[in-house]
Amino acid sequence: MASTLSFPIIDMGLLRGEERPAAMNLLQDACENWGFFQVLDHGISTELMDEVEKMTKEHYKRVREQRFLEFASKTLEDGGGKAAENLDWESTFFVRHLPEPNIAEIPDLDDEYRRVMKRFASELETLAERLLDLLCENLGLEKGYLTRAFRGSKGVPTFGTKVSSYPPCPRPDLVKGLRAHTDAGGIILLFQDDRVGGLQLLKDGEWVDVPPTRHSIVVNLGDQLEVITNGRYKSVLHRVVAQTDGNRMSIASFYNPASDAVIFPAPALAEAAGGAYPKFVFEDYMKLYVRHKFEDKEPRFEAFKSVERQQSSNLIATA
């Protein structure tokens, strides 16, 4: 049973007026104590969001539903068991926006859907960078520090979108919608179904529902922001619980570091709290993450700290 703790919702319109300090305090609390929050009045038009939702749901019905039903039938015929523990009850496709877009290469998307998704991605990129600057302000970092930290040798981040449908599941006791995990990257912006729930995060040992809210964007922080903030902000375990009714739409956009970006705690934050997190290249972290996504994040951090210690030992030995 999920908890009914009050999930943080931030009206970004308040940042423009006299209530800005209170809104920034709410954002700070959400980042420090939740790792998740919803934003309203975020600058993306409701008309565009409605268009994206309509086209995404139509695309699933037209292209992906039959394929998923075949997968679902086979999974349930096999009776679940051990195999079902390693499956997710979702139908997905991925779109890359940066550094090199691939939306033109994805089959089965009509031209209008491509056009709308490109426009939506551009709006989300702007929102992600705006949010990162608000995080800088709360952390006492120079404006632009976090976006610069994500840029590698080409001067751009990695940015992509996972488009998912979570159809009705007759046996949610056998199969998860999406198994519990933290996100590997930077800041994640989610446009989710406002009628069908299922997304939950772990807070203080309890699973908390992320409420479906019309025209909101759900934001969560990934492992890289935990490292850069030296643990002041933390990535949080979350999952999707399969539902017996309704087909939940999820459009999650990941604003991540470039593959060759070097990630390490911001010096100002490391000095204040001691250096608890390692330094690594984001691509190396991702190689480890894909093998251990559904496991605890701490051993991933520890693996890179071990590498650092070994490199230091080697330097001392050769000095």
Side-chain angles (χ1 to χ4, degrees):
M1 191 74 178
S3 170
T4 55
L5 282 170
S6 181
F7 186 82
I9 299 176
I10 297 163
D11 182 346
M12 294 186 71
L14 299 179
L15 295 168
R16 297 189 290 269
E18 60 186 23
E19 294 184 70
R20 178 183 172 86
M24 290 296 287
N25 285 339
L26 181 57
L27 176 62
Q28 178 84 320
D29 180 72
C31 290
E32 289 188 345
N33 297 309
W34 287 79
F36 264 80
F37 53 93
Q38 284 190 84
V39 291
L40 301 171
D41 197 5
H42 40 62
I44 302 176
S45 78
T46 57
E47 292 81 8
L48 177 58
M49 296 179 81
D50 289 344
E51 203 171 0
V52 168
E53 179 175 0
K54 176 175 175 287
M55 290 187 170
T56 298
K57 290 182 174 180
E58 287 174 352
H59 176 264
Y60 173 77
K61 292 288 289 184
R62 181 174 58 85
V63 175
R64 308 187 67 82
E65 184 173 47
Q66 188 55 42
R67 296 179 205 163
F68 182 81
L69 290 174
E70 290 167 7
F71 152 80
S73 175
K74 184 176 188 317
T75 300
L76 296 175
E77 278 174 16
D78 293 343
K82 202 71 181 170
E85 291 179 12
N86 298 317
L87 290 174
D88 301 307
W89 193 265
E90 64 174 354
S91 171
T92 68
F93 68 93
F94 297 85
V95 182
R96 186 176 65 248
H97 312 300
L98 293 172
E100 299 294 337
N102 73 342
I103 193 165
E105 302 156 21
I106 298 174
D108 305 321
L109 300 184
D110 61 47
D111 289 343
E112 184 64 10
Y113 190 28
R114 292 181 211 273
R115 183 190 68 77
V116 167
M117 287 297 284
K118 283 170 70 174
R119 186 175 155 214
F120 187 51
S122 176
E123 298 275 355
L124 287 167
E125 182 184 353
T126 299
L127 177 59
E129 292 176 352
R130 183 181 170 199
L131 286 165
L132 287 171
D133 277 345
L134 291 172
L135 267 56
C136 284
E137 185 177 336
N138 268 340
L139 289 162
L141 297 173
E142 179 186 0
K143 183 177 180 179
Y145 181 92
L146 291 172
T147 52
R148 287 193 300 273
F150 284 16
R151 293 173 187 160
S153 59
K154 294 181 181 177
V156 293
T158 303
F159 184 46
T161 297
K162 175 187 176 187
V163 182
S164 305
S165 293
Y166 296 91
C169 178
R171 293 294 305 276
D173 55 316
L174 286 182
V175 190
K176 301 284 193 302
L178 180 60
R179 289 161 285 168
H181 63 287
T182 63
D183 287 326
I187 190 167
I188 299 87
L189 278 61
L190 169 68
F191 175 28
Q192 68 167 346
D193 204 290
D194 66 336
R195 289 183 288 277
V196 184
L199 177 62
Q200 297 179 339
L201 65 99
L202 190 66
K203 177 169 171 56
D204 302 328
E206 291 185 72
W207 288 104
V208 179
D209 288 321
V210 177
T213 304
R214 188 151 178 77
H215 295 139
S216 73
I217 296 290
V218 177
V219 182
N220 71 284
L221 311 181
D223 294 349
Q224 307 311 301
L225 281 180
E226 178 166 339
V227 172
I228 295 172
T229 66
N230 203 40
R232 186 159 161 189
Y233 296 166
K234 288 188 167 61
S235 59
V236 172
L237 275 174
H238 53 285
R239 68 183 184 185
V240 177
V241 178
Q243 305 292 306
T244 54
D245 297 308
N247 187 345
R248 177 178 176 267
M249 178 198 74
S250 164
I251 303 174
S253 295
F254 300 80
Y255 189 100
N256 291 345
S259 59
D260 65 350
V262 179
I263 302 301
F264 55 90
L269 301 177
E271 288 165 11
Y277 287 84
K279 178 179 182 179
F280 50 78
V281 176
F282 180 61
E283 184 176 34
D284 293 338
Y285 187 87
M286 284 305 300
K287 288 175 182 174
L288 185 63
Y289 178 84
V290 295
R291 299 200 305 272
H292 303 283
K293 175 177 178 176
F294 299 108
E295 300 171 21
D296 292 340
K297 63 187 171 182
E298 287 78 13
R300 299 196 291 266
F301 296 149
E302 189 56 43
F304 284 103
K305 285 198 273 188
S306 296
V307 170
E308 280 190 312
R309 286 193 292 267
Q310 184 61 48
Q311 289 173 341
S312 296
S313 298
N314 292 342
L315 283 172
I316 292 169
T318 57

